[in-house]
Amino acid sequence: MENYIIAYDIRDDRRRLKIYKTLKDYAVPVQYSVFECSLRKEEYLMLRYKLEKLIRKDEDSIVFYRQCPRCAERVERLGTSRDPFGDGVFIVTAAED
């Protein structure tokens, strides 16, 4: 399993809704147009395939940010942003100068 952050910018409202619904089958929305997920290789390939069929490559953009395990552990969340995979426990650390 690998963790991903997926962000999208879709021009057309109908396409955007289809993209959103497709992503909800695989990932958790954490911001407008931003999802987080943990996927097996097969799931990732299937999701990419489905999304590629939905977008217009000359107008739309979808970006997959793969997170290494160390990076995933270092994610900091502020405000109402919740960890979609966590147990509800938040650890807040002071930022280093």
Side-chain angles (χ1 to χ4, degrees), residues 4-5 7 18 31 40 43 49 60 65 69 82 87 90:
Y4 294 89
I5 297 170
K18 288 178 183 178
Q31 296 282 324
R40 292 187 305 272
E43 293 171 317
Y49 174 76
D60 302 330
Y65 296 96
R82 293 179 297 164
D87 58 4
F90 295 91

Side-chain angles (χ1 to χ4, degrees), residues 20-56:
Y20 178 85
K21 287 180 177 181
T22 300
L23 281 167
K24 282 213 37 157
D25 288 341
Y26 293 84
V28 177
V30 292
Q31 296 282 324
Y32 296 118
S33 302
V34 179
F35 282 74
E36 289 185 39
C37 56
S38 185
L39 302 172
R40 292 187 305 272
K41 177 85 170 179
E42 306 81 32
E43 293 171 317
Y44 169 75
L45 293 173
M46 181 56 70
L47 176 58
R48 269 197 59 151
Y49 174 76
K50 288 179 179 181
L51 293 174
E52 272 189 279
K53 287 177 33 178
L54 294 173
I55 67 169
R56 290 200 46 187

Side-chain angles (χ1 to χ4, degrees), residues 52-70:
E52 272 189 279
K53 287 177 33 178
L54 294 173
I55 67 169
R56 290 200 46 187
K57 293 181 181 181
D58 60 332
E59 292 183 0
D60 302 330
S61 170
I62 301 175
V63 181
F64 292 80
Y65 296 96
R66 186 175 293 125
Q67 285 188 299
C68 69
R70 183 167 184 246

Side-chain angles (χ1 to χ4, degrees), residues 6-7 10 13 15 17 27 33 51-52 55 59 61 65 71-73 79 84 91 93 95-96:
I6 304 168
I10 308 299
D13 288 339
R15 277 198 316 274
L17 182 59
S33 302
L51 293 174
E52 272 189 279
I55 67 169
E59 292 183 0
S61 170
Y65 296 96
C71 293
E73 291 173 3
I91 299 173
T93 60
E96 293 181 15

